[in-house]
Amino acid sequence: MRPGPVLRAMRGGLTRRRVQAAVIGVVLLVSTAASVLGLALAVDSNAPFDHAFAAQRGADATATVDSAAASPAELAATRRLPQVTAAAGPFPEAMATLQPGGRSGCSNPSPGNPCYGAGTLPTMTLVGRASPGGPVDDVILQSGHWAQRPGQVVLSSAEVYPNGNLPPGTGLGTQLTVTGVAGTPALTVVGIATSVTGSAGGWVIPGQIAPLRPAKAPASAQMLYRFRSAGSAAAVRAGVAAVTATLPRGAVPAVQSYLTVRDQEASGIAPIAPFLVVFGLTGLVMSALIVINVVGGAVVAGYRRIGILKSIGFTPGQVVTAYAAQALAPAAAGCAAGLVVGNLLAAPLLGNAANVYGVGSLGVPGWVDAAVAAAMCCLVGLAAVASALRAGRLSAAAAIAAGRAPRSGRGYAAHRLLGRMRLPRPMTIGFAAPFARPSRTAFMLVVVLLGATAVILTVGLGGSLSHVVYGLSLARTEQVRIDYLGGLGSGPSGPGAGQGAGPVAGAAGPLPVGQPMGAATRRMVAAALRAQPGTLHYVAEADEQATAYGVSGPIPVTAYLGSAGWTGYGMISGRWYSGPGQVEVPAYFLAVTGKSIGDTITITFNGRPIPVRIVGEIFDNYNNGLAMVTGWQTLASADPGLAAVRYDVGLRPGTSPAGYARQVEAALGQGYVAGVNSNNKGLPLVLGLIGSLALLLAGAAGLGVLSTVLLQTRERAYQMGVFRAVGMTPRQTIAMVVCSVAGIGLVAGLAAIPAGIAALRSLAPVMGAAAGTGMPPSYLDVYGVAELAGLALAGVVIAVAGALLPATWAARNTTSSVLRAE
Amino acid sequence: MRLHPLADDRAAATGLGSSAMNAIIGLTDVTKRYSGDGAPAVDAVSLQVTAGEAVAVMGPSGSGKSTLLNLIAGLDRPTAGTVTVAGQRIDRMSETGLARFRRAQIGMVFQFFNLLDDLTVADNVLLPAQLAGLSRRQARQRTGELLASLRIEKLADAYPGRLSGGQRQRVAIARALVNSPAVLLADEPTGALDTATGQEIGGLLAGLNASGQTLVLVTHNPGLATAYAGRVIELADGHISSDTGSNTGAEVRR
């Protein structure tokens, strides 16, 4: 036979089942779009770093070595370890504070500080390297040339504005002065370069390092290693352990793994990537189930037609071809539309990723489109062929009989049991219906479960993310912040009038910056705060910077004067500090320094070394997680003149933050700025994204229900006709159909609660890990009892929403048309 | 006595003729077309059926027999004309109204039984009563009575799939009678049965009519028609070609 009859058979099937074809198309559109979005985001969130790391022979581990403890020969021997495939160094290194042009000003300001941009730079790690290339950490020159003689420096692009802390305009030719060392040597920027792992803030010739080192600072060097196995944190740790085992104890005070750098660089989008991957995979699984069910069901519903086709001469192969094509046609259209929609949805998100990585633009990799399209079409084809093959194997008469004969044998017990219940008969018939088709019921159960789980996960994730955002900004506990700008004495109603409240009493003109808040001023401010009825807590805060071995760049240190346990930092592990010399640090700090809770680290503050013990891991991403929180006395031991720059205030419930800020600012007078702490850091955008994805999945689940119920009502049209003939009203028909899925929805919804909670507890820490931080346990306890009770209905809502349309159609069918004798 | 089509306009408008007092079914100029330009399945038919009558509707395939029955049962709507059953004008009723009407006034018996295979015999019979809102006690009592009168009480817990054709049709008749309908309509009730069983069912229907049940049955079996119906209406091409028997009150169109 020519292809013509097969095509006619296919077209006829499509024409007869337009609604089913439309459902297949829409399901494929939604599933394809979700899969493209999820996969593309996951792939692109990792690709830039991985490609650059491989091309530049990035260092798996960057080690800081105590030059006094390990000899060059010992270090050279580490190159020959079986775990090491390549090594570079030792390169002499020094921590240096640079200032442009030698101007004085604020010390170590961070962006946002009024002093920022006024001409001072943060402390950074300078490394002495004769050339940018080497077996490990090939540094790529972006502009200029490598340092060739003393007095020249190549700066890291990570330090240059706007990526780092260097002020605008710092570039080739900029003169920098190294402060804190004898002779205040000058350096001229001759090049800007990039190390994929950010191994240094700048590079000079090896002989330049010694003069740049502060007098009492120990001599240290940098070793760079690539390991035979470095695909995981455990593998990198094993490699590092092999190296340190061959060196004297304490010779390697700090090691940085490339994995922490990769995670840090991907922090803009990687936290969401696991979520997107999970949703993408869920979308794939759901779409697979729905497609299999719809396509398979469509073929089964057409058994009678298949039998007729065979009876007039179609071969089994032609039947299979016709029905596979009948499914593939709308599927291909839906898939094509889904690719377009997925690419459109991915564009804004990938744009963000491109900004983070500085790679220009990112798009959906072509192979993602091709892979998703191929996977979807294969799925549809397999489902259609598998079902059609069954029919193809039957004889024509058997196929016709199978299409006409009512199904029997299942669900009888359910009908009997439910028939005894004191509920309207249409409802009990509906509730019993799922038991007659267990495989179809199982499919709907799984699909609704996935959709409801997505909803519950999203609600929980929204709660956790809210905790994250408010935990980072402390906006829920420190509702008002009062910044000290130097003070001009008292204002019109200032309580400090005439009491030496400000150090520049009577000054006029612009406010001098950087004036310390003395003890008298602090007493005045505290009195003003206590006088406000809305004040619940308050604490003075000093913001300083310290340095530590193995950490490139300064470490912001927040020191609180007084009780600060109420400030609201999320505790991941450990405890809040209880005395001097104890500090809290974020997870990334621990990863970079290789320290753990209970370890001691020496920081340098005000030129003095201070050993501090890490007692707690907090949830904080200030300075990308390289920060520290401690009590006043920890820093005051090295700087008796330590000064507060801010007061943090917690308000009584019901107090308006804006009103409180206005009142306290008026009370304090000039020199103080009181502001409401409200920083949601893009939370609405993220919540919108995950909410959209959850709706997408819930919608897909609803589509799955719709397509199945449509199939069932068409199969049971005859039975529906009988019900109508004996007096079932259209409304009762709708109730019957809706009840046939409501029970499934309720069961699925109840099962989705533990599934959603488990998914949140699994996913949130993974997302946190992707951002280089842990997750406080309290951030995962986000479901209230009432909330869960409502969420349990998610399954019912999805199921009922999916069933309403086909139920309405079934109720509209003319009774006589479905009862016409054959 | 037959009504002339133009003699009694009022009667034609209401569907009731000179036998208005006893007419339980009245069709006036009823036409049914399934497609806009096709030939009508039923063409301007007018007839009345009095209470307690047994009417057989006969005709070749495609003559409009089943369509006529569906119009009387409210399973379909006429394209034109009026249909009145048990005093209710049903041609303009809503679907909900028709469903309630069928529950209360119509019992239908089909050629292929149309039983629900996943319900027991008793549940099949109970269903219309439950839909009509009868109390459980009343419904079960009525069901028991009917099953007993039709001699199938022992099959109450059986499923239709395991019954013989005759047994299934008895169940269908019981279901049709559970709400004590004004009219019992049977569409080829013996068409799927062997001769002996068909005669049994025919006898059952005749017995019901003898006790006062109005019966309209569609059949292509002349023997069944003459044996169990007092009046035979023949349809051809959607028209009534003949109407013989007592108390017809029918109009003949040629």
Side-chain angles (χ1 to χ4, degrees):
Chain A
M1 260 194 199
R2 294 190 293 272
V6 174
L7 283 173
R8 271 198 290 277
M10 181 201 85
R11 274 202 300 269
L14 276 175
T15 309
R16 252 188 74 80
R17 295 186 181 272
R18 277 189 290 266
V19 173
Q20 212 157 57
V23 168
I24 291 175
V26 172
V27 164
L28 265 294
L29 185 155
V30 169
S31 305
T32 303
S35 303
V36 166
L37 182 63
L39 272 175
L41 286 167
V43 166
D44 279 338
S45 68
N46 271 323
F49 180 89
D50 288 345
H51 293 152
F53 189 84
Q56 295 170 36
R57 295 189 295 278
D60 296 330
T62 301
T64 298
V65 179
D66 185 344
S67 300
S71 67
E74 287 171 324
L75 291 175
T78 62
R79 298 167 188 270
R80 296 186 290 274
L81 289 170
Q83 295 88 345
V84 176
T85 57
F91 302 124
E93 67 172 26
M95 301 297 293
T97 302
L98 306 178
Q99 287 184 351
R103 283 182 288 156
S104 63
C106 300
S107 59
N108 298 328
S110 52
N113 187 300
C115 298
Y116 176 77
T120 62
L121 300 170
T123 304
M124 65 173 70
T125 302
L126 291 181
V127 171
R129 275 174 70 161
S131 69
V136 184
D137 192 30
D138 210 3
V139 179
I140 304 297
L141 265 173
Q142 309 285 356
S143 60
H145 62 84
W146 199 252
Q148 293 159 346
R149 48 180 180 273
Q152 293 181 340
V153 66
V154 175
L155 291 178
S156 168
S157 59
E159 298 287 347
V160 173
Y161 185 90
N163 297 322
N165 291 327
L166 293 176
T170 304
L172 297 181
T174 302
Q175 294 284 322
L176 303 171
T177 302
V178 182
T179 63
V181 295
T184 56
L187 296 172
T188 303
V189 179
V190 297
I192 307 290
T194 301
S195 161
V196 68
T197 54
S199 58
W203 296 270
V204 295
I205 60 170
Q208 178 80 72
I209 287 294
L212 300 180
R213 219 178 255 140
K216 293 178 183 173
S220 60
Q222 183 182 81
M223 284 294 293
L224 304 168
Y225 294 98
R226 283 175 70 85
F227 298 121
R228 201 166 299 281
S229 172
S232 65
V236 174
R237 278 198 298 272
V240 170
V243 168
T244 54
T246 65
L247 297 174
R249 189 180 175 81
V252 183
V255 178
Q256 176 173 280
S257 164
Y258 83 101
L259 293 171
T260 54
V261 178
R262 185 174 73 171
D263 292 344
Q264 193 72 16
E265 290 195 355
S267 64
I269 196 148
I272 308 175
F275 175 87
L276 297 174
V277 169
V278 166
F279 268 58
L281 288 176
T282 306
L284 273 175
V285 169
M286 281 178 66
S287 60
L289 286 174
I290 294 169
V291 164
I292 289 169
N293 185 71
V294 168
V295 171
V299 175
V300 169
Y303 264 25
R304 179 172 167 273
R305 187 165 177 270
I306 289 172
I308 293 169
L309 289 175
K310 291 184 77 176
S311 69
I312 60 174
F314 274 66
T315 65
Q318 287 171 323
V319 165
V320 169
T321 305
Y323 273 79
Q326 192 175 313
L328 276 169
C335 189
L339 289 177
V340 172
V341 171
N343 277 263
L344 286 174
L345 289 176
L349 287 164
L350 293 181
N352 277 341
N355 287 334
V356 168
Y357 298 128
V359 294
S361 66
L362 282 174
V364 177
W367 69 266
V368 168
D369 282 334
V372 170
M376 290 295 168
C377 289
C378 281
L379 209 59
V380 171
L382 282 171
V385 166
S387 300
L389 273 175
R390 276 169 53 198
R393 279 197 293 266
L394 292 175
S395 68
I400 292 173
R404 288 173 59 177
R407 296 184 72 86
S408 63
R410 296 198 202 120
Y412 289 177
H415 273 289
R416 294 181 74 141
L417 190 67
L418 287 160
R420 292 191 195 122
M421 293 179 70
R422 291 184 182 273
L423 287 171
R425 197 68 176 106
M427 288 179 69
T428 57
I429 293 173
F431 284 136
F435 295 92
R437 298 292 295 265
S439 58
R440 200 170 277 178
T441 299
F443 154 77
M444 270 207 281
L445 200 67
V446 170
V447 165
V448 176
L449 174 67
L450 289 174
T453 301
V455 170
I456 292 172
L457 169 62
T458 301
V459 169
L461 206 56
S464 292
L465 286 174
S466 295
H467 278 300
V468 164
V469 167
Y470 288 114
L472 293 176
S473 66
L474 307 180
R476 274 191 183 140
T477 45
E478 302 175 3
Q479 293 95 336
V480 171
R481 285 178 172 164
I482 303 163
D483 288 301
Y484 180 63
L485 298 184
L488 286 177
S490 62
S493 58
Q499 296 176 14
V504 195
L511 295 174
V513 296
Q515 293 295 324
M517 187 190 293
T521 308
R522 289 203 305 267
R523 282 195 295 273
M524 181 274 291
V525 172
L529 294 178
R530 283 195 299 271
Q532 298 295 320
T535 304
L536 182 62
H537 303 289
Y538 63 87
V539 68
E541 173 186 328
D543 294 327
E544 299 291 347
Q545 291 195 338
T547 58
Y549 281 123
V551 179
S552 175
I555 303 166
V557 181
T558 301
Y560 289 110
L561 178 62
S563 168
W566 60 269
T567 48
Y569 282 95
M571 293 299 300
I572 299 172
S573 59
R575 59 174 176 81
W576 194 248
Y577 66 84
S578 58
Q582 298 175 12
V583 298
E584 319 291 327
V585 294
Y588 187 65
F589 186 99
L590 297 176
V592 167
T593 59
K595 299 295 183 183
S596 306
I597 305 287
D599 287 350
T600 297
I601 186 170
T602 301
I603 62 173
T604 302
F605 172 64
N606 200 31
R608 295 183 186 179
I610 306 174
V612 294
R613 189 158 154 263
I614 301 170
V615 297
E617 179 186 355
I618 53 173
F619 187 75
D620 188 14
N621 74 342
Y622 180 51
N623 196 39
N624 292 324
L626 271 178
M628 198 174 274
V629 175
T630 187
W632 194 265
Q633 285 307 316
T634 302
L635 295 187
S637 63
D639 181 6
L642 186 67
V645 295
R646 167 190 295 165
Y647 266 82
D648 302 312
V649 183
L651 303 181
R652 292 188 188 282
T655 305
S656 161
Y660 181 95
R662 280 194 299 273
Q663 286 169 3
V664 78
E665 195 172 297
L668 291 172
Q670 275 188 311
Y672 300 88
V673 174
V676 176
N677 181 16
S678 59
N679 189 350
N680 64 15
K681 289 280 187 195
L683 179 65
L685 193 64
V686 174
L687 291 180
L689 170 64
I690 64 174
S692 301
L693 288 174
L695 276 177
L696 209 62
L697 285 179
L703 266 176
V705 171
L706 185 150
S707 62
T708 306
V709 173
L710 188 67
L711 205 66
Q712 281 178 335
T713 52
R714 299 226 164 173
E715 278 179 359
R716 295 176 60 208
Y718 190 72
Q719 199 182 51
M720 299 277 180
V722 173
F723 285 129
R724 298 282 299 281
V726 299
M728 189 175 279
T729 65
R731 195 173 291 183
Q732 286 173 323
T733 305
I734 292 173
M736 180 179 67
V737 173
V738 168
C739 285
S740 71
V741 299
I744 296 171
L746 186 64
V747 170
L750 289 172
I753 291 176
I757 293 173
L760 177 68
R761 288 182 186 278
S762 305
L763 196 59
V766 172
M767 294 171 69
T773 180
M775 192 73 76
S778 61
Y779 288 11
L780 303 179
D781 290 328
V782 291
Y783 295 106
V785 173
E787 200 173 15
L788 282 177
L791 287 172
L793 295 177
V796 176
V797 170
I798 291 171
V800 170
L804 269 177
L805 207 55
T808 309
W809 290 335
R812 280 200 205 139
N813 281 339
T814 309
T815 310
S816 64
S817 64
V818 297
L819 286 179
R820 219 167 279 140
E822 294 171 0
Chain B
M1 198 171 166
R2 297 175 187 176
L3 282 174
H4 190 278
L6 298 177
D8 189 337
D9 287 341
R10 187 164 69 87
T14 60
L16 300 175
S18 59
S19 314
M21 296 289 285
N22 292 328
I24 201 159
I25 298 172
L27 276 67
T28 307
D29 286 332
V30 169
T31 297
K32 175 66 183 179
R33 287 179 198 278
Y34 287 105
S35 64
D37 52 358
V42 170
D43 190 3
V45 164
S46 296
L47 68 89
Q48 285 97 42
V49 176
T50 55
E53 249 192 309
V55 178
V57 178
M58 292 187 59
S61 180
S63 60
K65 311 186 295 295
S66 295
T67 302
L68 188 69
L69 211 68
N70 287 341
L71 290 170
I72 295 171
L75 294 175
D76 214 342
R77 293 178 198 281
T79 311
T82 64
V83 180
T84 305
V85 179
Q88 298 182 62
R89 173 96 181 262
I90 68 171
D91 51 278
R92 290 181 185 174
M93 266 187 188
S94 66
E95 281 298 318
T96 300
L98 284 172
R100 290 188 179 131
F101 157 76
R102 279 195 297 277
R103 281 178 201 165
Q105 307 294 349
I106 301 292
M108 277 215 70
V109 178
F110 300 92
Q111 177 179 3
F112 291 105
F113 326 121
N114 285 354
L115 297 177
L116 297 163
D117 287 323
D118 40 15
L119 299 181
T120 62
V121 162
D123 284 338
N124 266 280
V125 175
L126 272 171
L127 186 58
Q130 290 168 325
L131 290 172
L134 220 61
S135 74
R136 289 165 68 88
R137 189 184 62 78
Q138 280 178 305
R140 290 198 177 278
Q141 187 178 349
R142 176 74 177 142
T143 298
E145 289 166 1
L146 281 168
L147 293 179
S149 69
L150 292 166
R151 299 194 303 278
I152 52 171
E153 65 273 27
K154 290 181 182 173
L155 301 177
D157 291 331
Y159 288 91
R162 297 195 179 276
L163 304 182
S164 68
Q167 290 171 327
R168 290 188 209 182
Q169 200 61 295
R170 286 173 188 267
V171 174
I173 292 171
R175 182 181 66 186
L177 295 175
V178 74
N179 285 338
S180 305
V183 179
L184 182 64
L185 305 174
D187 191 350
E188 303 275 8
T190 62
L193 306 173
D194 58 79
T195 308
T197 311
Q199 287 175 344
E200 274 183 40
I201 295 300
L204 263 176
L205 294 173
L208 288 169
N209 174 247
S211 56
Q213 178 70 62
T214 307
L215 173 66
V216 177
L217 76 124
V218 163
T219 181
H220 61 267
N221 184 337
L224 183 71
T226 53
Y228 302 118
R231 174 180 169 197
V232 177
I233 296 173
E234 288 199 20
L235 291 181
D237 296 329
H239 306 299
I240 296 178
S241 59
S242 77
D243 187 347
T244 56
S246 63
N247 197 25
T248 59
E251 174 182 316
V252 177
R253 290 172 67 98
R254 296 182 199 281

